[in-house]
């Protein structure tokens, strides 16, 4: 707070609300006429200012500018960007609309008997509308998880944190080190090629979590995460295993029981949508657009 960078700022910092590998996020208030609350994300760039702004930071700002043009209600809005010198290095400051909480904190305070079906439908509809917008504009989020899904006091759902997001094409080289482990699609865990369907897998994990109030797959290594997944969805056929994966097919991962329901506590309609979101083969995974037309979400 005593940093001179803030002294000439257009924002009054009220509280620190988050911290990541590259900087901190603050709740702030505009000092001008509007006096609106904002979230200020301050990224710290290395000690050598001559090295410039890292590519991933430029990419995040460029993507936010691109999608911000459309002003989609289910994607967090970037309001301002500024860069400033400090000793040593640079600061890049991103200013976003302020949203009260994320889905993770919301779920942590949910009643023990769970969320109502109407609330689950509402959250998933908005989340999938945001994903459909991103995917239509060839943007993969690549790190969808409850703490990157914001939920306002008015019930608005907004996708946030585009630090790992990418524009995708048919021939892009993509890193396997994306998506927090518990929400990571099998093709990413298997170090195979992937597309926007990785976001649908993550959305399916979130869908299950809205019912369970806890993550569906909680592994602590990539292999353990795969085992957790196969315990629920079953081991896929060898023909569906990515040929380029360095991880070999292991029949020992097959679960003993055979069931058509992923989660016995869900009804047939809910399980059907979850099953299509969590299809092992990404080509068979439902799109955000089609998921919105699924009977569970399209109905009242």
């Amino acid at each position: 707070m005593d940093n001179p960078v803030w002294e000439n700022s257009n924002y009054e910092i009220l509280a620190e609300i988050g911290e990541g590998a590259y900087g901190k996020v603050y709740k702030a208030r505009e000092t001008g006429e509007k006096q609106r609350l904002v979230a200020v994300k301050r990224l710290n760039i290395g000690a050598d200012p001559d090295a410039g702004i890292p590519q991933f930071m430029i990419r995040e700002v460029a993507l936010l500018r691109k999608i911000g043009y459309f002003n989609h209600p289910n994607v967090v809005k970037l309001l301002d960007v500024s860069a400033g010198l400090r000793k040593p290095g640079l600061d890049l400051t991103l200013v976003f609309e302020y949203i009260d909480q994320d889905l993770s904190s919301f779920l942590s305070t949910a009643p023990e008997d769970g969320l109502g079906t109407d609330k689950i439908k509402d959250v998933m509809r908005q989340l999938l509308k945001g994903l459909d917008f991103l995917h239509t504009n060839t943007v993969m989020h690549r790190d969808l998880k409850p703490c990157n899904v914001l939920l306002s006091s008015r019930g608005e759902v907004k996708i946030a944190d585009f630090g790992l997001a990418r524009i995708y094409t048919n021939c892009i080289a993509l890193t396997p080190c994306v998506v927090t482990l518990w929400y990571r699609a099998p093709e990413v865990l298997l170090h195979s090629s992937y597309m926007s369907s990785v976001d649908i897998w993550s959305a399916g994990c979130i869908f299950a979590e809205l019912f369970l109030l806890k993550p569906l797959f909680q592994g602590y290594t990539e292999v353990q995460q795969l085992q957790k997944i196969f315990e629920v969805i079953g081991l896929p056929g060898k023909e569906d295993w990515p040929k380029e994966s360095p991880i070999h097919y292991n029949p020992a991962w097959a679960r003993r029981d055979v069931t058509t329901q992923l989660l016995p506590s869900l009804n047939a309609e809910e399980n059907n949508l979850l099953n299509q979101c969590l299809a092992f083969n990404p080509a068979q995974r439902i799109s955000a657009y089609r998921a919105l037309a699924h009977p569970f979400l399209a109905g009242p």
Side-chain angles (χ1 to χ4, degrees):
M1 307 293 258
D2 55 355
N3 191 316
V5 171
W6 294 117
E7 290 179 4
N8 299 319
S9 173
N10 296 322
Y11 309 97
E12 176 193 357
I13 302 303
L14 303 176
E16 182 181 324
I17 55 176
E19 183 172 6
Y22 298 99
K24 296 181 178 180
V25 182
Y26 301 90
K27 179 181 179 181
R29 180 185 289 111
E30 284 185 311
T31 55
E33 291 182 9
K34 291 184 179 178
Q35 291 281 302
R36 63 181 167 180
L37 292 175
V38 294
V40 176
K41 182 177 183 180
R42 188 178 176 199
L43 301 170
N44 302 317
I45 301 170
D48 180 12
D50 294 331
I53 299 174
Q55 185 64 37
F56 79 92
M57 293 185 184
I58 295 173
R59 186 187 303 133
E60 180 177 7
V61 173
L63 279 173
L64 286 164
R65 288 290 199 199
K66 169 184 165 69
I67 60 182
Y69 175 80
F70 299 95
N71 198 30
H72 194 278
N74 300 121
V75 176
V76 71
K77 293 177 180 61
L78 177 66
L79 304 175
D80 191 19
V81 182
S82 63
L85 285 169
R86 65 175 170 85
K87 292 184 180 181
L90 292 164
D91 278 327
L92 181 66
T93 301
L94 310 182
V95 181
F96 297 91
E97 60 179 326
Y98 178 75
I99 306 297
D100 313 76
Q101 64 180 336
D102 60 39
L103 190 58
S104 180
S105 58
F106 173 76
L107 290 175
S108 70
T109 60
E112 287 186 13
D113 57 350
L115 301 176
T117 303
D118 288 346
K119 185 62 180 178
I120 293 173
K121 286 183 179 182
D122 182 48
V123 169
M124 287 305 298
R125 282 183 186 125
Q126 293 189 65
L127 176 60
L128 288 165
K129 284 177 181 176
L131 275 184
D132 179 46
F133 163 74
L134 294 177
H135 294 169
T136 299
N137 286 280
T138 65
V139 174
M140 281 186 291
H141 187 277
R142 302 202 306 170
D143 196 20
L144 203 61
K145 55 187 175 182
C147 64
N148 286 342
V149 177
L150 305 182
L151 185 62
S152 78
S153 57
R154 298 185 297 276
E156 300 162 320
V157 172
K158 293 177 183 281
I159 299 171
D161 200 335
F162 287 79
L164 289 176
R166 288 291 299 272
I167 299 286
Y168 61 88
T169 64
N170 290 330
C171 56
I172 191 170
L174 295 169
T175 172
C177 300
V178 297
V179 189
T180 301
L181 191 61
W182 293 349
Y183 305 90
R184 197 176 296 176
E187 60 269 29
V188 181
L189 292 165
L190 291 169
H191 299 260
S192 176
S193 58
Y194 61 87
M195 293 292 281
S196 58
S197 49
V198 296
D199 290 338
I200 298 299
W201 177 276
S202 302
C205 294
I206 291 171
F207 182 39
E209 195 163 336
L210 292 173
F211 287 100
L212 300 173
L213 302 183
K214 63 180 182 179
L216 178 59
F217 308 120
Q218 298 186 57
Y220 294 93
T221 66
E222 289 190 334
V223 169
Q224 189 183 61
Q225 186 69 14
L226 282 168
Q227 291 172 325
K228 296 284 186 184
I229 289 170
F230 298 146
E231 285 172 9
V232 175
I233 72 170
L235 186 67
K238 194 170 184 179
E239 66 278 4
D240 283 330
W241 200 263
K243 291 179 173 58
E244 69 270 31
S245 173
I247 300 174
H248 297 297
Y249 186 80
N250 186 354
W253 283 339
R255 65 185 182 193
R256 292 185 179 87
D257 63 314
V258 178
T259 176
T260 57
Q261 289 194 324
L262 295 188
L263 294 181
S265 59
L266 273 58
N267 66 34
E269 210 172 59
E270 295 159 352
N271 258 301
N272 181 267
L273 177 57
L274 183 61
N275 191 64
Q276 293 190 65
C277 289
L278 299 181
F280 174 83
N281 188 332
Q284 296 170 3
R285 215 168 287 154
I286 197 169
S287 67
Y289 179 78
R290 288 192 297 114
L292 286 164
H294 188 276
F296 174 71
L297 295 177

